[in-house]
Amino acid sequence: MHIVIAGASGLIGTHLSATLREAGHDVTTLVRREPTSAAEIRWDPAARRLDPAALAGADAVINLSGAGIGDRPWTRRRIDELMTSRLAATGTLTAAMATLDDPPRTFISQSASGYYGDSGSAQLRENASPGSGVLSRICVEWEAAAHRAPAGVRVVTPRTGVVLSPAGGALGRLLPLLRLGVGGPLGHGRQYWPWITLPDVAAAFMFLADSGLHGPVNVCAPESADVNALVGALASALHRPAFFRVPSPALRLVLGQLADELILPSQRMEPAALEAAGFQWQHPSLAQAAAWVAGKH
């Protein structure tokens, strides 16, 4: 397939581009700087500038573009940036598709597990209702923007969970602390985090590009785990203790609203659509995932 990726420079995008190319697909990436190869095309999503020819002949467009959710403290201005960067990028892509006589067959536009907000221990399949927080609102609008793609385009909105990677990924600053033996659970630790390894995210997106699935798809591993179990498994695989729990008030003090939106909510997400479609995980269990993160392939 010929696949165009927007937002290919992040953790998921970099790995996904490499995975698709290794599988024999032709990948073009949209970049906001001067292109350095024929496989790159410049665009400016903030100004809604994209030559529709960039999408002509593409079998699928994958949209991972948007300001990093956990990169900076959440000021009002930053929250606006998180929303507008996603809506501008998605709107630029759907508008370009609309001008083509033969638009791409598939549009995969990233969403997030944050769609569900704080849902306790309830099992969350794709038909569950959205939450009420800032991140939920962003995801609802982001998904709606993707569905403005032209008629006939199959739209998929993957609600991706916490991505586990030896490089840190969503675990960010926690993994280096665990390696040093000074990490531990965040908050009370009983909140569920839907998790998935980086190779499985890339495989899931490749699967979605060539499947018949449409609409929301929960992208996470089939084994659910709360933060206590997740941190415990990683620490065990690294042969380190994980005694140093970070209490919720401390997280709120340091991270502000981010703690209540990203760290402390519970989302017991179930990958019902992927399972029903026959997707195969490389790391379906937490033990396998933790061993992979620790470098014990």
Side-chain angles (χ1 to χ4, degrees):
M1 290 187 289
H2 174 47
I3 298 173
V4 177
I5 302 180
S9 61
L11 180 75
I12 295 175
T14 303
H15 194 80
L16 176 59
S17 302
T19 301
L20 289 168
R21 288 187 175 115
E22 283 165 18
H25 300 298
D26 174 30
V27 178
T28 299
T29 56
L30 302 182
V31 297
R32 281 174 281 193
R33 48 168 174 74
E34 205 59 46
T36 57
S37 76
E40 294 182 342
I41 295 175
R42 191 167 191 174
W43 75 322
D44 185 351
R48 298 192 179 247
R49 277 203 294 269
L50 171 64
D51 182 351
L55 307 184
D59 296 295
V61 175
I62 298 176
N63 174 28
L64 304 169
S65 201
I69 293 285
D71 292 359
R72 293 184 211 159
W74 276 20
T75 58
R76 188 169 294 168
R77 183 175 174 183
R78 181 59 176 175
I79 290 169
D80 286 345
E81 198 179 340
L82 295 174
M83 177 77 87
T84 55
S85 65
R86 280 161 176 73
L87 298 187
T90 309
T92 301
L93 292 167
T94 57
M97 288 178 205
T99 69
L100 297 172
D101 293 332
D102 186 19
R105 291 197 305 271
T106 300
F107 182 36
I108 300 173
S109 188
Q110 178 76 293
S111 184
S113 57
Y115 174 92
Y116 300 110
D118 188 2
S119 304
S121 60
Q123 290 278 162
L124 301 169
R125 293 189 166 199
E126 285 83 356
N127 60 357
S129 302
S132 57
V134 171
L135 201 47
S136 301
R137 194 170 73 247
I138 289 173
C139 289
V140 167
E141 298 216 19
W142 198 8
E143 292 183 16
H147 283 285
R148 294 188 190 108
V153 175
R154 178 175 64 97
V155 177
V156 188
T157 52
R159 294 172 183 162
T160 306
V162 174
V163 178
L164 305 184
S165 158
L171 293 178
R173 301 179 189 99
L174 178 61
L175 202 54
L177 294 176
L178 286 173
R179 289 186 196 279
L180 292 169
V182 292
L186 304 170
H188 54 61
R190 294 185 301 279
Q191 70 272 36
Y192 283 89
W193 278 7
W195 60 271
I196 187 166
T197 62
L198 186 57
D200 279 339
V201 170
F205 273 77
M206 189 159 67
F207 181 85
L208 291 172
D210 201 27
S211 75
L213 291 173
H214 59 89
V217 174
N218 288 345
V219 176
C220 61
E223 183 179 307
S224 61
D226 64 15
V227 170
N228 284 334
L230 193 60
V231 171
L234 289 168
S236 176
L238 292 164
H239 302 294
R240 294 288 185 271
F243 300 135
F244 298 92
R245 182 179 301 279
V246 185
S248 302
L251 286 167
R252 291 189 179 102
L253 187 67
V254 174
L255 298 173
Q257 196 173 358
L258 251 177
D260 286 309
E261 289 280 347
L262 270 190
I263 309 287
L264 300 173
S266 180
Q267 291 140 4
R268 194 175 186 179
M269 208 162 75
E270 183 186 336
L274 281 177
E275 283 189 304
F279 178 70
Q280 298 291 313
W281 282 262
Q282 189 178 329
H283 306 115
S285 76
L286 187 53
Q288 289 168 313
W292 175 76
V293 170
K296 301 165 187 172
H297 301 278

